[in-house]
Amino acid sequence: MKLGKRAALIVVDVQNDFCPGGALPVPEGDKVVPLLNDYIETFLREGAPIYLTQDWHPADHISFKERGGVWPPHCVQGTEGAAFHPGLALPEQGVIVPKGSSPNEDAYSGFQGTGLAARLKRQGIRRLFIGGLATDYCVKETVLDALREGFETVLLEDASRGVEVKPGDTQRALSEMEQAGAHTVRIGELKVA
Ligand code: VGL
Ligand code: ZN
């Protein structure tokens, strides 16, 4: 698979709360960090834009258990848990996309309420490479929205991990994304020339 012109990288929610020791840990969530750093390096070398979504909730967010949601409080704005994993090679040119900031609205997708699709289209981007946390929630919804928006969409399979609230969720998410038209790639398969 070629990176191609008009490609962008979207790194989804690689934050402390989604890594082991965090408030809503994804098993092996931290394992995506070195791989994403490799992808980031590749995209930087190619001059391709990089976006990083950040789950960014107010303290009383609707998805939290206290408000009848399903999740423990996580990624509360300005907390250490909401910070990017310290090992992530945050590029200076990287554009941070906060999401889930409205108290009464859940937002798994990086496209929901962020203006991201319009911004990418304005830049002439056609193909998106998407990876991060969690495969069965925010990565999945971001990939499905990317496809709905008409982008050619590639999941970074080795640089994503699922929460697995129910066993098999990650695998089901992969099937759903592929069925919707997503491609998948691993770092060794990505050609830049
Ligand atoms: C996510 C659950 C709640 C995610 C965000 O990033 O996948 N999951 N908020
Ligand atoms: Zn969240």
Side-chain angles (χ1 to χ4, degrees):
M1 160 127 7
K2 284 208 179 119
L3 194 145
K5 290 193 179 88
R6 300 169 173 267
L9 175 64
I10 301 183
V11 175
V12 177
D13 296 5
V14 182
Q15 294 164 260
N16 289 323
D17 271 345
F18 295 128
C19 292
L24 176 38
V26 174
E28 302 192 329
D30 53 335
K31 295 264 174 78
V32 304
V33 170
L35 284 147
L36 286 168
N37 287 346
D38 284 353
Y39 284 107
I40 287 169
E41 196 188 309
T42 302
F43 279 71
L44 282 176
R45 211 165 45 224
E46 294 301 303
I50 298 170
Y51 290 83
L52 305 103
T53 70
Q54 192 170 26
D55 212 32
W56 196 247
H57 298 313
D60 60 344
H61 191 248
I62 191 165
S63 76
F64 296 173
K65 280 177 180 152
E66 299 88 286
R67 288 205 51 203
V70 294
W71 306 114
H74 64 276
C75 297
V76 173
Q77 295 169 8
T79 63
E80 195 51 33
F84 289 112
H85 185 286
L88 189 67
L90 254 187
E92 217 172 284
Q93 305 92 315
V95 177
I96 294 171
V97 181
K99 64 178 178 64
S101 313
S102 315
N104 299 324
E105 230 176 278
D106 210 351
Y108 290 129
S109 163
F111 289 97
Q112 199 180 330
T114 61
L116 180 58
R119 182 167 181 162
L120 292 166
K121 287 174 186 177
R122 219 159 39 231
Q123 272 189 300
I125 299 298
R126 299 263 182 83
R127 174 184 273 191
L128 297 177
F129 291 81
I130 302 174
L133 305 172
T135 311
D136 39 4
Y137 287 92
C138 288
V139 172
K140 181 180 89 169
E141 295 305 330
T142 303
V143 163
L144 295 177
D145 269 353
L147 290 163
R148 285 181 200 114
E149 290 287 350
F151 294 101
E152 191 184 346
T153 307
V154 185
L155 170 73
L156 309 177
E157 202 177 352
D158 49 356
S160 302
R161 290 289 186 287
V163 193
E164 292 269 307
V165 173
K166 288 196 300 292
D169 278 356
T170 304
Q171 198 50 51
R172 277 187 290 275
L174 286 172
S175 308
E176 205 179 319
M177 289 185 268
E178 283 177 349
Q179 212 136 70
H183 304 273
T184 60
V185 78
R186 299 176 160 269
I187 189 84
E189 301 163 354
L190 189 60
K191 298 187 183 61
V192 292

